[in-house]
Structures are given as structure tokens and as C-alpha cells.
Amino acid sequence: MPMPNQDDTSNQISGLLDQQRSLKHFNLDWLTPAESLQEAIEFYWLITWDLRGKPPYKQANLPHPSQHIVIDTLQTTGVFGINTGVFHYTLQQRGRVFGVKFRPGAFADFFRYNPSSLLNTHENIEPFLSISEQQLIAKLKSADDPTVFAVQMDNLLISHKHPSTSKAKDAGALVDLIAITDEINNLKDLSRISGFQPRTIQRLFHSHVGVNPKWVIERYRMLAAVDAINNGQDLNLTDLAHSLGYFDQSHFNNAFKKLTGHTPSHYLPASQPS
């Protein structure tokens, strides 16, 4: 089970605000789940940090349209639904967080659970995996090698996995289409390009994604913006705004600030144009 280094991982994870500064405060890695789980689970992620003797660090992240199982040695452990806003987490002292990222649309069939009921909230893990949160936290704390804990999670998840249906696959394919297609700006576009009727799309998103299509379209637009800001060299925000379908930079700035609390230029190095 490979574990890439931090630089490799930063290219895999999108939505991390102020990424260059963030990765100076913690290590972020990902692990591959068992082959039989990969249809439903995109990857496992692991965050570790040691800030003993240093001030706490508050990290902001723009979540994807995915559900997560999170085992946290210091704060909240649980099954987390989609967070519609920016997710903030304060790192302090020394800790470790292990997460399971489900592919969009896959969680509903995996656990036979409607993800809409998890929107902006979380539930206890035990009803999903038949193991207490305290037991999982203890296993994570005691694992010298995180791949050992990942194998334990493989076994737990495989034993509780339900088969996916065509609805889960269709929902996931629609989200993937949004993620890779610049021309999709609304439900009408998604219907035209996918061939699904608007009402069918709306039902699939409610039952299997957990949010409506409009939210997913807008979120991937913002994720693309965050990733461009994190990775861009000589990035021009006016060009970025136009490439993302905004009428002008002002509209882009307002949408970005409404979501994150800051304008895009806040996250640019001082030497880059705004």
C-alpha cells in the first residue's frame, strides 16, 4: 500500500486554502484502499502534526461533494456529510487524523443511507461499522505504521459494504462530468451534455449525492479557483475569473469572498498580479 510523500499528496488533494503555508504546519498523505473498495472509496487521507511548543494553527478547507469517515485523536470522530461552507480545523499540540473519502454518489448504497440527512452534520461511527469510536481512536493512536491502520479499516469497510446500484454509478458519473466539463454552468447544461432529464438528475443528487446539482456546479468552480491560486505562477485573476465562467473579476471576487471570507488576492503571493 503506497504512501506518497507530502509534495505528491499536495497534487492529489484540492481545496486546501493557502496550501503552501498550510503544509508547513502538518503532513498530509494519502493511502490506497483495498481493491474491492476502490469503486466506492477514492482514497484514505492522513494528517499528522506536532505543534508542541508552537501556537495553534487554524486551517481552512473547501470540501468536495463527498462523505467522509473521520477518526480524530484529539477532536471529533464520526461519519461526516458534505459541508456546504468552508471547513475550519484548529491544529494544536500533537495529533493524527485518518479519513475515508467516499466517491460522490457512492456512500448512499455502501451503507444504505441517504446522504442528504448528513448535510452539514455528522453521526456516530458505531451504527455504520459496529465498532466504537473509542476503539478506533485507540487503534489509530497505537499504530506506529499508518498502513497497518488502513488495513484494519479495509477489513471493517469490506465487512459492512453493500453493493452499488446503477443509481450510485449514474450519480457519480454526473458529478465527475461536472468536475471535468467547463461548459456546465447550470442544470440545463448538465442535462443537455449528460442526456439525463433535469428531474432525474435532481432525484439522483438528492438520494445519492446529498446536495443539489447547482451547489455541486458552483463548488467545483470554486475548487478550480482555489487550486489555480495554490498552483498558479504569474496568475492573473481577471483571466481566471473569465476561464471559470464569471462575467468579470468583481463577480468572481464577491462569490469567492462570500464563501471563504477573503478575496482571491488574499491567498496570492505579494509578487503576483491581482
Side-chain angles (χ1 to χ4, degrees):
M1 182 178 296
M3 177 181 259
N5 64 32
Q6 182 173 319
D7 291 337
D8 292 336
T9 305
S10 67
N11 293 326
Q12 298 288 335
I13 308 296
S14 66
L16 197 66
L17 291 164
D18 205 4
Q19 180 173 288
Q20 291 184 352
R21 182 166 176 258
S22 299
L23 293 178
K24 296 177 181 178
H25 294 82
F26 56 86
N27 294 319
L28 174 59
D29 297 291
W30 62 274
L31 302 95
T32 305
E35 186 175 355
S36 62
L37 295 171
Q38 291 174 19
E39 181 182 35
I41 295 171
E42 189 171 350
F43 53 75
Y44 299 147
W45 50 268
L46 177 70
I47 296 174
T48 56
W49 67 92
D50 189 345
L51 296 179
R52 289 174 295 181
K54 300 177 182 179
Y57 178 73
K58 188 175 183 179
Q59 174 60 44
N61 184 61
L62 199 58
H64 289 234
S66 299
Q67 289 73 37
H68 294 254
I69 294 175
V70 177
I71 299 92
D72 189 329
T73 60
L74 291 182
Q75 298 187 38
T76 307
T77 291
V79 179
F80 285 75
I82 295 171
N83 192 313
T84 56
V86 173
F87 180 77
H88 293 93
Y89 187 94
T90 299
L91 299 96
Q92 54 191 338
Q93 298 300 318
R94 183 183 184 186
R96 180 184 289 181
V97 183
F98 184 97
V100 179
K101 182 184 180 185
F102 284 83
R103 297 186 186 278
F107 180 89
D109 282 357
F110 195 101
F111 287 116
R112 295 290 188 263
Y113 193 94
N114 189 322
S116 298
S117 63
L118 278 173
L119 191 63
N120 290 316
T121 191
H122 67 276
E123 295 288 349
N124 192 288
I125 284 178
E126 189 162 2
F128 293 87
L129 294 179
S130 303
I131 186 172
S132 73
E133 295 179 354
Q134 291 73 22
Q135 287 176 289
L136 285 172
I137 293 168
K139 289 177 181 291
L140 179 58
K141 283 183 175 180
S142 64
D144 293 330
D145 183 350
T147 61
V148 173
F149 184 78
V151 171
Q152 294 174 333
M153 286 301 300
D154 281 343
N155 294 332
L156 270 174
L157 290 161
I158 289 170
S159 67
H160 288 80
K161 177 180 182 292
H162 292 89
S164 62
T165 65
S166 60
K167 288 184 177 181
K169 295 173 183 176
D170 287 344
L174 285 166
V175 174
D176 289 344
L177 188 62
I178 291 171
I180 64 173
T181 308
D182 294 338
E183 292 80 15
I184 296 177
N185 294 307
N186 50 50
L187 177 59
K188 184 178 179 181
D189 292 338
L190 180 57
S191 176
R192 173 176 53 82
I193 293 174
S194 69
F196 284 87
Q197 292 298 315
R199 183 57 184 156
T200 299
I201 294 173
Q202 291 172 325
R203 286 198 298 264
L204 281 171
F205 273 63
H206 176 75
S207 65
H208 282 76
V209 181
V211 285
N212 62 53
K214 179 182 178 182
W215 184 93
V216 175
I217 292 168
E218 292 176 348
R219 176 48 52 94
Y220 273 110
R221 185 183 293 186
M222 282 296 164
L223 285 166
V226 170
D227 293 345
I229 292 167
N230 281 334
N231 301 323
Q233 295 293 326
D234 300 321
L235 180 66
N236 185 288
L237 291 179
T238 299
D239 293 341
L240 176 60
H242 291 155
S243 72
L244 295 173
Y246 289 94
F247 179 73
D248 55 27
Q249 186 182 337
S250 177
H251 284 84
F252 172 49
N253 285 351
N254 290 339
F256 193 93
K257 184 175 183 180
K258 182 178 179 181
L259 180 60
T260 69
H262 298 283
T263 61
S265 60
H266 174 82
Y267 296 103
L268 282 175
S271 60
Q272 290 199 12
S274 60

